């Protein structure tokens, strides 16, 4: 019979996401969540100790004369099964981490518990697209492309307008679209390529260089600007380098002030648990919501809301 701790652990197996703050290493986030989950599992009610039959010496009074050894059967708890002897029921659980964030980045970080690690590996085999918000500043260039690096160059930026910035972003997006088609290993003149493009399934076959699938400016107030980026196979260092290259294309310099991931596959900021909710109960609730959402999406795929009839098909053909 499964103990309450084991039943609780089975409910915790799956995927969820948290919000990783800037300045914190992802390993510290994972270790903190693992510690909190172990505390929650080991705080569940303890089952009664099993009983065993032992023959104990029959007690006798001090005035009674010895008449030989007298034994009586008694049911006593098995102390070797006591938690103070065996230790906590759960001493280690496997918490996996998805696409990682470096120490200076923040945002959505996907994690997996137990058997959820297999689902995590399957998720990242399906060309997962991630979204980021990049904050940049014109006028300086640093050795590591971030605003905290060593300044190696300063330049003017008064000539930069949002129209010029948008043209540079469109040029970069076009270059990356060509790279996306090149790494897809699909004949661009085939019906298969057309159908994959319609459903948004075009992507690199296996590992490739970082590819930007979307790039736009959402805030422009020189020297500061904010970009929204959709990408595949990226690193945060590469995204900072993109900000640096945008500055060079505009005949200036730029440094990245912040990188925040807003979406990782099906996980968004709305699903991310902040630090105060990194508990076993909140994690279990988040995993349950993810399972129910995944089940609903599979149901919609199997039973689409619109089923074309023979008449509508004939009309469309005409």
């Amino acid at each position: 019979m499964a103990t309450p701790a084991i039943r609780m652990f089975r409910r915790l197996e799956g995927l969820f996401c948290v919000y990783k703050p800037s300045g914190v290493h992802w390993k510290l986030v994972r270790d903190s969540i693992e510690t909190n989950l172990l505390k929650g599992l080991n705080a569940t009610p303890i089952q009664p100790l099993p009983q065993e039959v032992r023959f104990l010496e029959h007690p006798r009074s001090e005035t009674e004369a010895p008449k030989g050894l007298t034994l009586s059967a008694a049911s006593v708890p098995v102390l070797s099964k006591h938690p103070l002897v065996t230790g906590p029921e759960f001493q280690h659980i496997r918490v996996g981490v998805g696409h990682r964030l470096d120490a200076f980045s923040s945002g959505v970080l996907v994690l997996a518990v137990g058997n959820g690690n297999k689902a995590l590996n399957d998720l990242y085999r399906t060309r997962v697209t991630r979204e980021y918000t990049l904050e940049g500043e014109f006028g300086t260039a640093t050795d590591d492309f971030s605003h905290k690096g060593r300044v190696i160059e300063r330049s003017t930026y008064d000539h930069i307008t949002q129209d010029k910035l948008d043209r540079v972003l469109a040029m970069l997006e076009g270059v990356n679209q060509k790279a996306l088609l090149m790494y897809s290993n699909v004949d661009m003149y085939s019906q298969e390529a057309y159908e994959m493009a319609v459903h948004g399934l075009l992507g690199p076959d296996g590992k490739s260089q970082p590819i930007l699938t979307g790039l736009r400016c959402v805030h422009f107030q020189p020297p500061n600007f904010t970009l929204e980026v959709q990408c595949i196979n990226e690193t945060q260092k590469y995204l900072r380098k993109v900000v640096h290259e945008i500055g060079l294309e505009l005949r200036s310099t730029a440094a990245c002030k912040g990188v925040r991931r807003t979406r990782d596959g099906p996980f968004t900021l709305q699903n991310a648990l902040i630090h105060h909710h990194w508990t076993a109960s909140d994690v279990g609730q988040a995993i349950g919501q993810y399972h129910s959402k995944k089940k609903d999406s599979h149901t919609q795929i199997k039973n689409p809301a619109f089923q074309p009839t023979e008449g509508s098909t004939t009309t469309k053909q005409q």
Side-chain angles (χ1 to χ4, degrees):
M1 181 179 179
T3 63
I6 293 177
R7 290 196 297 269
M8 183 178 182
F9 176 73
R10 289 172 180 170
R11 291 194 299 269
L12 288 175
E13 289 187 305
L15 302 180
F16 68 102
C17 69
V18 299
Y19 186 88
K20 188 195 88 67
S22 178
V24 180
H25 199 278
W26 64 266
K27 288 184 179 180
L28 182 60
V29 174
R30 180 198 61 189
D31 294 343
S32 299
I33 292 174
E34 182 179 346
T35 301
N36 292 343
L37 293 181
L38 287 173
K39 287 181 180 179
L41 289 171
N42 293 321
T44 54
I46 301 174
Q47 285 189 325
L49 295 177
Q51 300 288 318
E52 64 179 359
V53 176
R54 286 194 175 185
F55 292 94
L56 304 178
E57 184 179 358
H58 186 72
R60 57 189 178 185
S61 61
E62 297 179 355
T63 58
E64 185 179 355
K67 297 181 180 179
L69 183 63
T70 304
L71 301 178
S72 60
S75 178
V76 296
V78 181
L79 297 181
S80 61
K81 302 293 185 181
H82 197 280
L84 294 178
V85 178
T86 60
E89 186 171 357
F90 283 87
Q91 299 182 7
H92 174 73
I93 57 175
R94 185 185 176 192
V95 179
V97 182
H99 196 275
R100 295 160 187 170
L101 288 167
D102 59 25
F104 301 107
S105 303
S106 62
V108 177
L109 182 66
V110 181
L111 299 109
V113 179
N115 292 334
N117 287 276
K118 182 179 181 300
L120 186 65
N121 294 331
D122 295 338
L123 174 66
Y124 286 109
R125 291 196 193 102
T126 57
R127 304 190 188 108
V128 174
T129 303
R130 285 171 284 273
E131 294 183 3
Y132 290 84
T133 299
L134 308 180
E135 295 182 4
E137 182 180 13
F138 291 118
T140 58
T142 61
D143 58 346
D144 62 354
F145 313 124
S146 72
H147 70 295
K148 294 184 179 181
R150 181 174 58 86
V151 177
I152 58 177
E153 185 181 351
R154 295 187 185 275
S155 60
T156 60
Y157 53 85
D158 297 335
H159 61 284
I160 300 176
T161 63
Q162 185 166 1
D163 185 53
K164 292 180 179 179
L165 176 59
D166 290 339
R167 285 200 296 266
V168 170
L169 297 181
M171 181 269 295
L172 288 175
E173 189 173 356
V175 171
N176 280 270
Q177 286 293 338
K178 291 181 180 178
L180 180 66
L181 299 177
M182 181 180 67
Y183 286 105
S184 296
N185 290 334
V186 179
D187 184 7
M188 290 298 103
Y189 300 99
S190 64
Q191 181 68 19
E192 179 188 4
Y194 171 76
E195 293 178 354
M196 291 179 66
V198 168
H199 294 91
L201 299 177
L202 275 179
D205 188 11
K207 290 187 177 181
S208 68
Q209 67 178 16
I211 298 176
L212 305 179
T213 59
L215 188 62
R216 71 188 184 101
C217 177
V218 295
H219 176 73
F220 182 78
Q221 188 176 0
N224 300 311
F225 61 97
T226 304
L227 306 177
E228 279 188 358
V229 182
Q230 294 84 38
C231 45
I232 301 173
N233 297 336
E234 82 296 337
T235 63
Q236 290 78 56
K237 185 177 180 180
Y238 170 78
L239 296 176
R240 295 188 186 96
K241 186 179 179 182
V242 168
V243 174
H244 170 75
E245 291 176 348
I246 290 173
L248 296 180
E249 290 290 338
L250 292 168
R251 310 271 181 191
S252 181
T253 53
C256 185
K257 296 174 59 178
V259 177
R260 185 175 74 147
R261 183 189 290 162
T262 57
R263 184 176 67 86
D264 188 353
F267 297 95
T268 63
L269 286 175
Q270 287 74 22
N271 311 125
L273 301 176
I274 60 175
H275 182 265
H276 298 294
H277 295 281
W278 294 355
T279 61
S281 59
D282 289 328
V283 168
Q285 185 177 359
I287 292 175
Q289 291 175 355
Y290 171 72
H291 285 321
S292 61
K293 185 187 298 184
K294 188 176 180 182
K295 187 182 297 183
D296 293 341
S297 64
H298 286 173
T299 304
Q300 292 176 0
I301 292 174
K302 292 180 180 179
N303 303 306
F306 175 73
Q307 293 287 349
T309 60
E310 183 178 356
S312 62
T313 305
T314 306
T315 304
K316 185 177 178 182
Q317 291 176 353
Q318 292 177 353

